[in-house]
Amino acid sequence: MSPIQIIFILVSAITLGSALMVVTTRNMVRAALWLVLSLFGIAIHFVLLEVGFFAVAQVIIYIGAIAILMIFAIMLTRRIAQDPGPQTNSTWPIAAILALGIFGLIVFLVQGWEKAAIQPSPFPAGYDPLRELGVALVSANQYLIPFEIASILLLAALIGAIIIAWDKK
Amino acid sequence: MLNDWLFIGLMLVIAPIFPIAALIIPRILAPKKPNPLKTQTYECGIETVGDTWVQFKAQYYNFALVFLVFDVEIVFLFPWAVAFNQLPLYGVIVGILFIEVLVIGLIYAWRKGILEWS
Amino acid sequence: MADPVTFIAKWLEGYLAGLGLSSGWISVIQAALGVVVLGSAVLLVDIFLVWVERKVVARFQDRLGPNRLGPFGLFQPIADVIKLLLKEDITPQGADKFVYNLAPILALATVIILWAVIPLSVTVVGSTINVGALYIVAVGAIGTLGIIMAGWASNNKFALLGAFRMVAQMISYEVPMVIAILIPVILAKSMSLADIVQSQTVWYIVLAPIAAIVFLIGAQAELGRAPFDLSEAESEIVAGFHIEYTGMKFGLFYAGELLHALTFGGLFATFFLGGWRGWGAETYPILGIGYFFIKAMVMYWVIMWIKYSFPRVRIDQMLSFCWKFLTPLILTVLSITAILDKVMTGLPYWIYVLVMLLSNLVILYFVIQAVGRYARKERQKVAEPEKIRVAFPVKSSTSTSQAS
């Protein structure tokens, strides 16, 4: 095993383990903190895939903004921090079987897919993926429309959130 | 490129060791005599009333909400800034348009009184 | 011997290769040693900063400051550290022990981690990742989390309230500050801090003075220093999010705050003051480290100057200053800078610099005019005599007062 693979397995274990803790922890704030660790693991995965920009964007947006928003929401809502109710319901065996089945299916499909074994070739010298992304985002024949729509979508999200959160009067 | 991240990865592992060491030394050296009076929550000498989970102003949440939208937009702008030399003037204006849509959101929040602390 | 750091690195590489290690392991060992040296050096500076801070605040307040231990009281911080190590460590009742202990560790570690991307000299830079500017923002986001953890885990209302205020302030001021970082990125066309320093033949404070000012204000708010220290307003919430921390745990928050201030000084130097650039720094990289730290210390002093000169603002003032003034201002500056930069490609560099500076000064002039007008209006509002409230208002009184 190469060092990268060892790091990959370690980080994956941390990511999945903390994701499991998110759904099993009783304390809501602690669950949010586990979620942060899980999201951080994803950021490390982005680094291992050599997309540093997505890694830092993951940390800034998901940990720096969304997790903070969640923690605020939890802390500002009284009496939901400790939920004494049961964590599963009667259909959990079916859900477990389905999840395992889908996992097995994915493993089976990836095993049989020859493209999964292809090693990515390194970037040619002088090629900056970040710069290419920047150009692609505002080029009319590439991602200009999605880029501008993303902006309008965010505007819509902001207005919607304001209306839902603020429309008391 | 992964070599650039090697230093940061090691930093992530090694940097916490300094403060952890600074927390372990007092465990050995410092006295440890807790008593109920000492470990009481310090709220200006008055005994704590009720739960720590009192209701705070929900407005903190609104600011986090506006911040989230801005944060997402700004992160998108960084690749645009890096690629500045390769962009035509048109590309720059489109990027600014992206910012101006954000400004509409800010004006809306402003007019709605979200940015008011009352 | 112009560049001892590279010399040592090369010698170590040769020595390790002589031992028969593979090149991969050599780079790992080199990087690990670099991290340990950088971290220790930064923490040593941090201990020294305690003395600087105490001495400077004393001078601002017309006192002498520490002057007993050693020359000019220079050994005072060492005594402080020993005292902190010997203090009893109290964990409050009902605290979430794990999170409670993790928060101070995060507070200091995130600041040390920031130094990984700051170029100290032309050859001495931890990592030249191409997303350096955003990396700083990302690490700052994790620091924010440390504060909210401290506030929540202490099981104290004041701590929680302090954490709320601090986090609301940090996320608010992150917006103008990140846009202020975006302007040097546009000017340098790179997010790597090494490139940003490398491209500053003219310091960016000349090309983008408004961005520099906004960055400084944002830094002040991120640090939670006066005038933005309402997260630890003594008269309201005692000490803010670290109220329940004693001994070395409090010491870590304190050390983290001081080092964070110096780090912001260093970041200001990197983005706007040309980082390590100076006479002879290209040929003698060791000089670059000196220049960098001089600039960082000067900016650290400016941060302290602001801290000890301004009164505390209210939370509504703090938030509206950020969202209604700084954010629109910096968005305007960003738009104008972006268009001007594109329009002026191909023109001689001195014209470029001049136009950038002039455009900033024009904006600054109008902004100062507008702020002055607003301030006059606000002052008039305050100066107006307050209407007398009548305890038992009579129905007809309003009509009579109008008539007379």
Side-chain angles (χ1 to χ4, degrees):
Chain A
M1 257 198 299
S2 71
I4 294 285
Q5 278 170 323
I6 295 170
I7 295 171
F8 174 79
I9 289 169
L10 260 175
V11 174
S12 303
I14 291 172
T15 310
L16 291 175
S18 44
L20 194 68
M21 290 303 287
V22 174
V23 290
T24 51
T25 313
R26 289 273 174 188
N27 188 323
M28 289 275 276
V29 177
R30 279 198 154 200
L33 294 175
W34 282 113
L35 179 66
V36 167
L37 186 60
S38 185
L39 294 169
F40 192 73
I42 302 287
I44 298 175
H45 278 305
F46 277 130
V47 170
L48 294 176
L49 289 170
E50 305 202 16
V51 274
F53 174 67
F54 287 168
V56 286
Q58 167 88 11
V59 174
I60 291 173
I61 294 173
Y62 280 89
I63 298 180
I66 293 178
I68 296 279
L69 193 72
M70 279 183 174
I71 293 174
F72 268 23
I74 295 166
M75 286 183 173
L76 290 171
T77 320
R78 280 173 86 183
R79 276 191 278 277
I80 60 160
Q82 298 280 358
D83 182 9
Q87 286 183 309
T88 54
N89 60 19
S90 57
T91 54
W92 75 267
I94 306 167
I97 290 165
L98 265 176
L100 276 176
I102 291 171
F103 180 70
L105 195 68
I106 291 171
V107 170
F108 173 75
L109 286 174
V110 171
Q111 291 260 310
W113 189 37
E114 75 274 11
K115 276 189 183 162
I118 294 173
Q119 286 290 324
S121 52
F123 292 124
Y127 181 88
D128 188 351
L130 194 59
R131 196 154 287 153
E132 297 298 316
L133 175 67
V135 173
L137 280 180
V138 290
S139 299
N141 51 358
Q142 277 173 297
Y143 301 106
L144 173 61
I145 305 282
F147 181 65
E148 294 296 328
I149 289 177
S151 168
I152 292 167
L153 185 68
L154 282 169
L155 178 66
L158 178 62
I159 292 173
I162 287 172
I163 287 173
I164 292 171
W166 202 240
D167 215 17
K168 289 176 208 131
K169 293 148 206 162
Chain B
M1 194 182 139
L2 267 182
N3 272 339
D4 290 337
W5 287 92
L6 174 68
F7 192 85
I8 288 170
L10 287 169
M11 200 79 175
L12 281 181
V13 178
I14 294 173
I17 294 175
F18 295 105
I20 289 171
L23 287 190
I24 288 174
I25 297 169
R27 290 241 159 151
I28 305 157
L29 295 178
K32 187 96 184 129
K33 300 186 197 92
N35 64 48
L37 217 60
K38 205 188 271 178
T39 59
Q40 233 173 31
T41 306
Y42 177 72
E43 282 168 8
C44 295
I46 301 164
E47 271 186 50
T48 307
V49 179
D51 212 13
T52 308
W53 295 85
V54 290
Q55 178 74 55
F56 287 110
K57 278 176 98 80
Q59 263 179 327
Y60 290 107
Y61 184 78
N62 295 335
F63 282 94
L65 211 65
V66 180
F67 160 74
L68 170 65
V69 173
F70 271 80
D71 214 30
V72 175
E73 295 235 10
I74 295 164
V75 167
F76 270 118
L77 285 174
F78 271 86
W80 169 75
V82 170
F84 225 74
N85 272 348
Q86 279 80 8
L87 297 180
L89 182 62
Y90 153 79
V92 172
I93 290 170
V94 165
I96 290 168
L97 198 70
F98 186 79
I99 303 169
E100 299 317 326
V101 174
L102 181 73
V103 173
I104 298 173
L106 184 66
I107 293 169
Y108 181 80
W110 194 334
R111 294 292 296 274
K112 267 273 169 181
I114 288 285
L115 306 178
E116 231 67 55
W117 188 269
S118 52
Chain C
M1 286 314 289
D3 188 8
V5 178
T6 317
F7 176 76
I8 292 169
K10 281 271 180 303
W11 171 82
L12 191 74
E13 199 179 329
Y15 177 74
L16 289 172
L19 292 179
L21 283 167
S22 68
S23 64
W25 278 112
I26 290 174
S27 54
V28 169
I29 291 172
Q30 268 184 331
L33 273 177
V35 168
V36 171
V37 170
L38 182 65
S40 325
V42 161
L43 285 175
L44 272 180
V45 173
D46 195 10
I47 292 173
F48 171 66
L49 282 184
V50 177
W51 176 79
V52 173
E53 179 95 20
R54 291 181 63 175
K55 206 75 184 170
V56 170
V57 63
R59 287 294 169 182
F60 274 117
Q61 297 169 348
D62 208 7
R63 294 186 282 119
L64 284 175
N67 63 350
R68 295 284 156 161
L69 258 102
F72 310 108
L74 207 54
F75 299 150
Q76 185 65 43
I78 300 169
D80 285 351
V81 170
I82 293 170
K83 188 194 84 171
L84 281 175
L85 285 174
L86 295 175
K87 280 268 180 181
E88 184 179 350
D89 183 22
I90 302 166
T91 311
Q93 274 169 10
D96 191 318
K97 268 210 172 139
F98 181 72
V99 182
Y100 177 80
N101 289 328
L102 192 62
I105 294 171
L106 265 184
L108 187 57
T110 49
V111 183
I112 301 173
I113 288 169
L114 277 176
W115 286 81
V117 294
I118 299 178
L120 300 179
S121 163
V122 66
T123 48
V124 186
V125 49
S127 172
T128 54
I129 48 166
N130 60 355
V131 287
L134 275 180
Y135 171 84
I136 285 163
V137 184
V139 175
I142 299 175
T144 313
L145 206 68
I147 287 168
I148 212 164
M149 280 161 68
W152 174 75
S154 300
N155 188 33
N156 184 318
K157 292 188 199 79
F158 289 146
L160 197 53
L161 189 56
F164 267 125
R165 285 188 181 186
M166 186 74 192
V167 172
Q169 173 176 314
M170 282 176 95
I171 60 176
S172 294
Y173 279 81
E174 204 177 301
V175 171
M177 203 182 74
V178 176
I179 303 173
I181 293 175
L182 189 61
I183 289 172
V185 171
I186 285 180
L187 296 173
K189 279 89 185 171
S190 174
M191 264 199 264
S192 157
L193 296 193
D195 290 349
I196 289 176
V197 173
Q198 199 68 256
S199 63
Q200 289 186 54
T201 42
V202 177
W203 290 1
Y204 284 161
I205 193 165
V206 180
L207 274 78
I210 296 181
I213 295 168
V214 172
F215 182 82
L216 188 64
I217 295 171
Q220 201 83 19
E222 294 278 307
L223 291 166
R225 293 192 151 207
F228 304 109
D229 65 339
L230 41 116
S231 61
E232 40 193 88
E234 297 88 347
S235 49
E236 299 165 26
I237 49 174
V238 194
F241 59 90
H242 54 59
I243 176 172
E244 289 289 357
Y245 285 88
T246 54
M248 202 58 207
K249 282 177 195 159
F250 166 73
L252 290 181
F253 277 114
Y254 187 60
E257 200 226 307
L258 289 182
L259 190 59
H260 207 179
L262 179 72
T263 313
F264 267 115
L267 287 174
F268 189 93
T270 307
F271 284 124
F272 297 104
L273 298 181
W276 47 261
R277 290 183 84 99
W279 292 279
E282 298 266 3
T283 39
Y284 301 99
I286 194 80
L287 275 177
I289 302 181
Y291 288 139
F292 174 79
F293 271 102
I294 288 170
K295 288 170 185 173
M297 284 311 279
V298 168
M299 287 322 294
Y300 177 61
W301 188 80
V302 171
I303 290 172
M304 274 193 286
W305 187 15
I306 299 172
K307 173 177 178 178
Y308 294 120
S309 311
F310 278 87
R312 182 181 300 138
V313 296
R314 280 201 317 260
I315 189 162
D316 61 324
Q317 291 166 337
M318 180 270 283
L319 287 167
S320 38
F321 181 65
C322 171
W323 288 105
K324 297 179 181 173
F325 178 68
L326 283 185
T327 307
L329 169 68
I330 196 72
L331 282 172
T332 318
V333 175
L334 172 71
S335 310
I336 289 171
T337 308
I339 290 182
L340 282 181
D341 182 272
K342 200 71 233 176
V343 171
M344 285 194 293
T345 35
L347 288 178
Y349 195 61
W350 66 271
I351 297 181
Y352 177 83
V353 172
L354 213 65
V355 173
M356 283 289 182
L357 180 61
L358 276 178
S359 67
N360 268 275
L361 289 181
V362 168
I363 298 172
L364 207 59
Y365 174 77
F366 282 115
V367 165
I368 289 172
Q369 290 288 318
V371 170
R373 216 172 308 133
Y374 177 75
R376 265 197 300 280
K377 219 164 65 192
E378 285 293 295
R379 268 198 299 267
Q380 258 169 9
K381 227 185 275 173
V382 176
E384 254 175 34
E386 232 177 292
K387 289 192 186 87
I388 299 163
R389 295 220 180 91
V390 186
F392 302 102
V394 189
K395 275 277 162 75
S396 60
S397 67
T398 46
S399 56
T400 47
S401 66
Q402 271 173 0
S404 62

